[in-house]
Every structure is written in C-alpha cells, then in structure tokens.
Amino acid sequence: MTLMAAASESEKVGMRTLTMGSPTTAGLSRQRCSLVEIEGPEPGKIHALGPGRTVVGKSPECDLAITDVTVSRQHFEIVNDGQRFLVKDMGSTNGTRLDGAEVKEAYLRPGMLLAAGEVVLRFQTEYDPVQIAPSKKESFGGLLGRSLRMREIFAMLSKLAPTEATLLLLGSTGTGKGAAVRALHEKSSRRRGPLVVVDCGAIARNLIESELFGHVKGAYTGASGLRKGALEVSRGGTLFIDELDDLPLDLQPKLLRALEERVFVRLGANQPIKFDARVVAASKKDLWQEVAAGSFREDLYFRLSVVTVRMPLLRERPEDIELLFDSFTAGTGLKFSDLSPEAQGRWLSHSWPGNVRELRNAVERSLALDGDGLAGALSGPTQAPGGQVGLLPEYMRPFKEAKEKLLDAFEREYIQRLMARSSGGVAGAARLAGIDRKHLYKLMEKHGLGRSDLKKSG
C-alpha cells in the first residue's frame, strides 16, 4: 500500500480515534500523542507515546513491538523531550520514511505518516480533560477567584509553573490571560530572565515578523540598524505571544520552525540564533475554528496547545465578583457588603462583556463618583456631538482597549435593535443581518443576551 492510500485508509480505521477538534473540556486539557497503525499486523491499533524514549521494532524487547518481517529488530526511536517528538532511524534495513521521504531524523507533526518497511503508522494528537483537585487558595499571582473553576485553574497553573511545558490560554478580553502569564513567569525557574510580550493584535502586520525575529540593517525600507526581536530578547525567560489569532498566516510556518528547531534567523540575515525561552500563547478566539476556516495552521496549533487552559467569562463565575470588588477597593474603606441589596443585585446580574477589566473600571467609577458606578459600565448609546445618538469610544483609554470596548458595545446594541425589528426570531434576525445563525447565537451568548431579553428591546 502506498502512503497516499494509507492516508485514505487512515480515515476509515482511525475514525473513532483521530481527534481533529479542539479540546472538548471547557476548562483544562492536556495533549496526548500516539501512533495509530494504519497498515501492518494490527490495523487500527493505538500505540501511546509516553515521555522520554520509545524504541520501535520487531524485537520483543522494544517498547513498541511490531511483528512484521519488513521491520528491523530495532527500527527507529521516538524521543519526547516534553516539547517535541523526534524520530530517529536506528540503522534499519528498509529505512524509515516520513510522508514518503526517507529520513535519518526529523520532527513529527500531527497527521504525518511514519513508515517502517511496509508498516505505516499515523502520528496523531488527542486531548484529555484534566481532572485536578482545586487549589485551596483564592489567588495565583494577580489572579483572584474562589469559584471552583478558578481554583482548578490555580491548581493547574501551580503545577505548570516550574515546567517548560508550552501553554495555550484561551479566553475573551479581560478574563485574566495576561495576569496568568505574569504569575507563571514569576513562579517559574526562568523568573530571573525577562518576560517578553508580543501582542500580535497591536502591531502592524508588516512589522510583526521584525518584532518576533528582529532584523539587520537594510533588511527592508526603513531598517536603519540592527534590531533584536522578541525571540532573542526573551532568552532565558518567557515569551508571551498574545492575540495569536492575529498572527498572519504567512508567518506561522516560520514561527513553527523556530519553536521546533529552537533556532531562528533575523530578517535579512543568514546566521542562525539559538532560541531559549518558555513559550506561552493566548488567543481570544477558538483557534481550532480558525484552523477549520483556514486562517490558522493546524501544525502550529498542535505545537502550541500542549496544555490548554480556557479562562472563564466573569459572568460564568459570579461568586468571584465580591472578592474582586473588595480587592479593587482595598484600603479605601468601601466593601461590596456596604452596597445596598439592590446595588449588589445589579453587580451580580450584570453580563460583564468586558469581564474583570470592566469590573475594575466600574469599581474605579464607584470610588470617583461616590456611587455604585455600574450604570456607567453598561454598554449602550451615548450622546454624540450635535445631538445625534451613537456609540462613542472612551478616548482616554489605550487604543486597543478603547477599540475593543466600543466593538463590544456596538455588538450588544446592534443585536438588541436587530431582534427588536425582526419578526422571524433568531433565524429571521440572522437573515436580516446577513450573518450565519450560529454566529448570531455566539454573539448573543457573548453578551449574555437571551431570546426573551432581546424581544423586550426596542
């Protein structure tokens, strides 16, 4: 059987085991890698790959024994260093082939077909939900929470902090991804090194490559001198790639190579530079959906999602609001318990589209205006110059934060007005807006809007 035929066959025998989606758990998940036997003595059999070294061959002494006459006694080995899987041929008679090409050693990526003689194996990645006892503490660095969900995250981050494991944080703006990274760095063995942040959403697309890899003089128009990129500056520390979903598609292979080979080259140069940093990435979007849409590479996704932590929305953990409120008012004499029952109810029932960041801003308004401050936190129409009603950005905020807050307010207001004039329910509203119904449902969920709430809008 050819490798192309084996690829087709893998879709049949591996259908129940090939996990091509994102982690199913809403909270914590860990990547697990294995080999699926596509063509050989036991088609469909799954061989788990553990840490360290796995020797594959027909000898019964091998870690993975495959009894086939075309397989050498010790055919190849796979070395897992906790970050990557490296396959090495062990002087086999019939050679080791990776996606049809004979190799002596090479890094494995999910979906690759690995052949030993006439035996074909598929390297695949799956995700297991992580069951972990919640932390007894109500904080981890700058993160606060007494909810079960947050204490489970604290326990997981505590275990991850001293390791070199690559971590992917998923969650909406304001859920605490940045605070999680700072805490991880401060509690890691690399805490004496730098914490370098690359915000892909705040950098012009034509400058992201230079921001990551650096450049030499003359590399492009305007490159007047040598500049070290984030991969170089973060040596010995932690590299945090934020808003990963905004990384241009054409740059993703270059980042993947740097992560796999642990070397990179400055823009316009030829000399390789060693990369030595722990990598944490974050995205406000579901990256697997981006993979399905063709805007994010599958191999880079699997490379970065060794451990995935989904940061919950604030409305999913209302029991944390009082704790957060009191932390933001510490030293002022104001406590959540001092608010009237009606005010407390407003704080607890608000949808908080801006999450913890919006809560903090509302608390600051409370202190400045000597009130509960929540009315100013609600997204809605404002009076524009000239008397026209519209949505106005908060110009005193940082650009990115002001833009995101304005977009959230627009989305909420648009959906409310859309449903008010639609007579066909969600399906009819989606047609009026020219968007997919599933997308409309996601926007409704994002802003805490249900059908009954929206029908009351007008």
Side-chain angles (χ1 to χ4, degrees):
M1 178 181 288
T2 66
L3 286 181
M4 290 299 293
S8 176
E9 184 68 15
S10 70
E11 300 303 319
K12 301 177 184 178
V13 303
M15 189 64 69
R16 65 185 182 278
T17 58
L18 297 180
T19 301
M20 300 306 294
S22 59
T24 56
T25 176
L28 311 171
S29 60
R30 179 169 46 213
Q31 195 179 83
R32 172 168 53 87
C33 296
S34 57
L35 295 176
V36 178
E37 196 166 321
I38 304 303
E39 178 68 11
E42 301 178 89
K45 185 175 182 179
I46 301 174
H47 307 279
L49 295 174
R53 179 172 178 258
T54 300
V55 177
V56 179
K58 67 183 176 185
S59 170
E61 298 177 356
C62 288
D63 303 299
L64 198 168
I66 301 177
T67 54
D68 184 276
V69 293
T70 63
V71 176
S72 297
R73 288 185 60 80
Q74 290 187 328
H75 201 106
F76 64 81
E77 65 175 350
I78 295 178
V79 180
N80 174 10
D81 65 1
Q83 298 288 321
R84 301 165 293 176
F85 287 84
L86 180 67
V87 59
K88 297 180 180 180
D89 184 80
M90 301 180 70
S92 63
T93 301
N94 292 315
T96 299
R97 301 186 306 283
L98 193 60
D99 282 351
E102 186 166 348
V103 297
K104 293 301 180 183
E105 64 177 59
Y107 289 106
L108 294 173
R109 297 177 184 172
M112 282 183 162
L113 294 176
L114 184 60
E118 295 182 358
V119 174
V120 180
L121 306 160
R122 178 188 174 103
F123 179 70
Q124 72 174 35
T125 298
E126 297 177 298
Y127 289 90
D128 294 326
V130 176
Q131 303 297 329
I132 188 168
S135 173
K136 295 180 180 179
K137 298 180 179 180
E138 296 184 346
S139 66
F140 180 78
L143 290 173
L144 297 175
R146 58 171 58 110
S147 61
L148 176 63
R149 183 85 168 272
M150 289 303 293
R151 289 188 293 112
E152 287 177 338
I153 289 175
F154 297 163
M156 171 59 76
L157 294 179
S158 295
K159 289 182 176 292
L160 289 172
T163 74
E164 292 289 304
T166 303
L167 176 65
L168 176 62
L169 296 170
L170 299 178
S172 298
T173 299
T175 50
K177 301 188 293 294
V181 175
R182 288 190 293 273
L184 274 170
H185 177 72
E186 291 166 1
K187 297 177 183 296
S188 74
S189 60
R190 293 178 175 265
R191 58 187 173 273
R192 297 185 186 278
L195 170 59
V196 178
V197 180
V198 177
D199 188 339
C200 298
I203 305 170
R205 294 176 68 87
N206 62 327
L207 297 178
I208 292 181
E209 184 173 8
S210 175
E211 186 72 22
L212 284 169
F213 303 102
H215 64 253
V216 296
K217 183 178 180 180
Y220 57 87
T221 303
S224 57
L226 183 145
R227 184 184 188 280
K228 294 182 178 180
L231 272 71
E232 187 171 357
V233 176
S234 62
R235 180 176 296 172
T238 302
L239 174 62
F240 177 36
I241 306 176
D242 198 7
E243 306 292 6
L244 183 66
D245 46 282
D246 286 324
L247 182 67
L249 191 61
D250 58 342
L251 278 184
Q252 294 176 22
K254 187 171 182 178
L255 177 60
L256 177 63
R257 286 194 297 273
L259 297 178
E260 288 188 337
E261 300 171 10
R262 308 300 287 184
V263 294
F264 65 94
V265 178
R266 294 190 189 118
L267 192 60
N270 297 314
Q271 185 67 31
I273 300 172
K274 183 179 179 181
F275 172 54
D276 177 24
R278 197 245 186 102
V279 178
V280 181
S283 171
K284 60 183 179 296
K285 297 180 181 179
D286 185 325
L287 284 184
W288 183 250
Q289 291 186 6
E290 297 301 298
V291 170
S295 59
F296 200 84
R297 289 181 61 99
E298 179 183 358
D299 46 11
L300 180 58
Y301 168 78
F302 284 120
R303 178 64 187 82
L304 292 169
S305 58
V306 175
V307 179
T308 302
V309 176
R310 294 178 182 268
M311 304 297 290
L313 301 170
L314 183 56
R315 65 173 175 266
E316 296 173 345
R317 51 183 186 111
E319 58 266 53
D320 293 337
I321 290 176
E322 180 177 355
L323 176 65
L324 290 165
F325 184 101
D326 289 345
S327 73
F328 294 142
T329 60
T332 67
L334 176 64
K335 291 187 176 181
F336 189 81
S337 58
D338 297 331
L339 300 179
S340 68
E342 293 78 11
Q344 290 184 20
R346 286 195 296 273
W347 284 79
L348 293 173
S349 62
H350 182 48
S351 62
W352 300 110
N355 296 293
V356 178
R357 184 178 295 147
E358 182 183 359
L359 174 65
R360 182 189 61 208
N361 293 336
V363 170
E364 291 176 357
R365 276 190 295 273
S366 297
L367 296 173
L369 301 175
D370 196 23
D372 73 21
L374 187 55
L378 295 173
S379 300
T382 57
Q383 195 74 13
Q388 184 179 3
V389 175
L391 292 167
L392 290 177
E394 298 183 27
Y395 292 104
M396 299 305 293
R397 293 175 179 271
F399 171 80
K400 181 182 175 184
E401 188 176 325
K403 178 182 175 182
E404 290 174 347
K405 188 170 181 64
L406 180 63
L407 179 59
D408 282 340
F410 162 75
E411 289 176 348
R412 182 183 179 87
E413 184 70 14
Y414 184 90
I415 295 170
Q416 289 177 317
R417 291 173 181 265
L418 173 69
M419 294 299 290
R421 63 187 176 92
S422 171
S423 59
V426 176
R431 285 194 296 272
L432 283 175
I435 61 176
D436 185 78
R437 184 169 58 180
K438 292 182 179 179
H439 183 52
L440 180 55
Y441 273 123
K442 287 182 179 180
L443 289 173
M444 292 166 59
E445 181 183 357
K446 173 183 176 182
H447 296 288
L449 298 172
R451 296 189 194 188
S452 60
D453 297 324
L454 295 172
K455 288 176 183 178
K456 297 175 184 178
S457 303

